Amino acid sequence: MQVIYTEKAPKPIGPYSQAIKYENLIFISGQIAIDPSTNEFVNADVSTQTKIIMENIKAILEEAGLNLNHVIKTTIYLKNLEDFQVVNEIYGEYFKDHKPARSTVEVSRLPKDALVEIEVIAGL
């Protein structure tokens, strides 16, 4: 098992790693809209939060020597399922031809009162 860490993504806000490499898989912890340059949560609309999250996921993947085409599965947690279409559009800008498996669920609350959180499993 190997810890993946990059300064180009937010520092963990608790006792967890940005990502863990285990054999041929990378498990990226759930990401919320934290600006990696300030390590502060960006309390903005769901569109802005989703874009920040996707850029942070890209940075973690790049640190592991991968890119979005290596993503196998994502899980999207939404505070309000009515935001699904907006999040789905932005998500689709990052996953054009490559379409990983995905689950999307509505949750009652997310860390920092985020509107969206995304976790990823990628493969080498």
Side-chain angles (χ1 to χ4, degrees):
M1 196 165 60
Q2 174 188 350
V3 173
I4 306 295
Y5 178 80
T6 177
E7 293 287 333
K8 295 178 182 177
K11 295 175 183 157
I13 59 175
Y16 62 89
S17 300
Q18 288 174 336
I20 295 290
K21 177 182 176 189
Y22 181 75
E23 295 185 3
N24 291 333
L25 296 173
I26 305 292
F27 298 88
I28 297 179
S29 294
Q31 298 294 306
I32 61 173
I34 295 180
D35 181 337
S37 65
T38 63
N39 224 44
E40 294 292 326
F41 175 67
V42 180
N43 190 7
D45 60 41
V46 73
S47 174
T48 301
Q49 287 188 26
T50 303
K51 289 174 187 174
I52 292 168
I53 290 166
M54 293 305 297
E55 290 299 318
N56 290 338
I57 288 169
K58 277 179 47 179
I60 295 167
L61 286 168
E62 288 171 6
E63 182 65 25
L66 305 177
N67 60 48
L68 290 170
N69 289 325
H70 292 95
V71 173
I72 298 167
K73 167 84 168 65
T74 64
T75 305
I76 301 174
Y77 302 95
L78 292 173
K79 185 172 180 180
N80 186 342
L81 205 50
E82 290 182 16
D83 290 331
F84 178 81
Q85 186 171 345
V86 172
V87 172
N88 197 50
E89 282 182 33
I90 294 162
Y91 179 94
E93 292 172 13
Y94 287 86
F95 294 107
K96 291 182 173 117
D97 295 326
H98 173 66
K99 299 192 182 359
R102 180 179 81 184
S103 300
T104 304
V105 295
E106 182 179 70
V107 296
S108 62
R109 195 163 180 206
L110 291 166
K112 304 276 187 184
D113 288 322
L115 301 175
V116 60
E117 179 176 359
I118 302 174
E119 66 181 20
V120 169
I121 300 171
L124 303 175

